[in-house]
Amino acid sequence: MHMIEYIKGELTEINPTEVVVEVNGIGYLLNISLNTFTAIQGKKEVKLYVDESLVTGGRDDSYTLYGFYNKQEREIYRMLITVSGVGSNTARMILSATSATELVNIIASGNEKALKGVKGIGLKTAQRIIVDLRDKMTQSGLIAETFDAGNMGEAGKLDTNINSQTREEAVGALTMLGFAQTPSSKVVTEILRGNPDMPVEQVIKQALKLIK
């Protein structure tokens, strides 16, 4: 049962992994994917569709809100977390490494290799995602979606003038996703040397594929 359908209000804080949306004097912290980050950048007012994650047991209970820029991304997220071995953070990482339409195409075509390219996804989990979700996506009409490859951009000329703000945001996002700071910093620096003007969300997407 889901209590919150969406949160609409002023976007007061934003980074590639989380936002704060203020509604009637209350600031709601929502975890987001890179796709949502890209979609809402530069906006003052946002409406984010919500999924609530309540984890009980152990020493601490936790209540976490995940925000999505449209219902389709939330629907895909909810499908992903039904797969054995895919938790909230893994689902968010998948939706940060690929767009929603790319993921639908990957599952429709059975492209295990593309899913296995996401950090933390092994072959068995990739196969399970495809087997478990292909029928669900077909029934819900998602699999009729067209594939949008997205242009990652070509590597530009080497440039040591690395954008420090982009670098900090990208490394911060990767550490929030569970990666160690040193390898994250190394990979982000290498990406920005080749692509000094690359937007932070693209830097993170590339880093998710390269980081060890």
Side-chain angles (χ1 to χ4, degrees):
M1 181 178 171
H2 300 285
M3 186 172 69
I4 302 173
E5 172 62 12
Y6 63 81
I7 290 176
K8 183 179 180 181
E10 183 185 354
L11 184 62
T12 58
E13 292 179 35
I14 180 170
N15 69 49
T17 55
E18 59 187 25
V19 295
V20 175
V21 180
E22 185 176 323
V23 186
N24 295 328
I26 301 172
Y28 293 91
L29 177 69
L30 298 102
N31 288 273
I32 59 169
S33 71
L34 272 180
N35 293 320
T36 292
F37 174 74
T38 303
I40 65 176
Q41 260 188 315
K43 293 188 177 180
K44 290 181 180 178
E45 297 278 327
V46 294
K47 178 181 179 180
L48 293 177
Y49 293 93
V50 173
D51 186 81
E52 303 154 85
S53 173
L54 177 61
V55 178
T56 57
R59 189 174 299 171
D60 297 306
D61 293 347
S62 69
Y63 178 65
T64 309
L65 299 177
Y66 289 85
F68 305 92
Y69 71 100
N70 63 20
K71 287 185 176 181
Q72 185 202 56
E73 190 190 26
R74 182 178 64 180
E75 183 181 6
I76 292 170
Y77 168 86
R78 284 178 172 169
M79 286 182 180
L80 283 168
I81 60 175
T82 66
V83 178
S84 175
V86 178
S88 298
N89 214 39
T90 302
R92 178 170 65 157
M93 197 173 295
I94 292 168
L95 285 167
S96 293
T98 68
S99 71
T101 46
E102 282 173 335
L103 182 59
V104 169
N105 186 270
I106 286 166
I107 291 169
S109 61
N111 190 346
E112 296 165 0
K113 188 177 177 184
L115 267 180
K116 213 164 79 68
V118 178
K119 187 69 177 176
I121 303 291
L123 180 60
K124 285 185 178 177
T125 304
Q127 290 172 335
R128 205 177 295 126
I129 289 169
I130 289 165
V131 169
D132 287 6
L133 298 191
R134 190 184 272 155
D135 284 349
K136 286 183 183 177
M137 287 187 169
T138 302
Q139 287 166 13
S140 69
L142 282 170
I143 273 197
E145 292 288 340
T146 53
F147 176 55
D148 174 17
N151 183 13
M152 289 297 289
E154 294 180 17
K157 64 182 188 302
L158 285 178
D159 190 334
T160 52
N161 295 325
I162 291 171
N163 185 319
S164 60
Q165 186 180 345
T166 300
R167 184 178 174 282
E168 279 178 28
E169 281 196 26
V171 173
L174 290 165
T175 54
M176 284 281 292
L177 288 169
F179 296 105
Q181 185 154 358
T182 303
S184 299
S185 180
K186 186 178 176 184
V187 168
V188 168
T189 301
E190 285 300 312
I191 292 168
L192 285 171
R193 276 189 186 140
N195 305 272
D197 298 322
M198 183 179 279
V200 65
E201 61 270 24
Q202 296 285 13
V203 173
I204 298 165
K205 278 193 179 188
Q206 288 218 358
L208 286 172
K209 296 174 182 176
L210 299 171
I211 200 165
K212 300 297 182 189

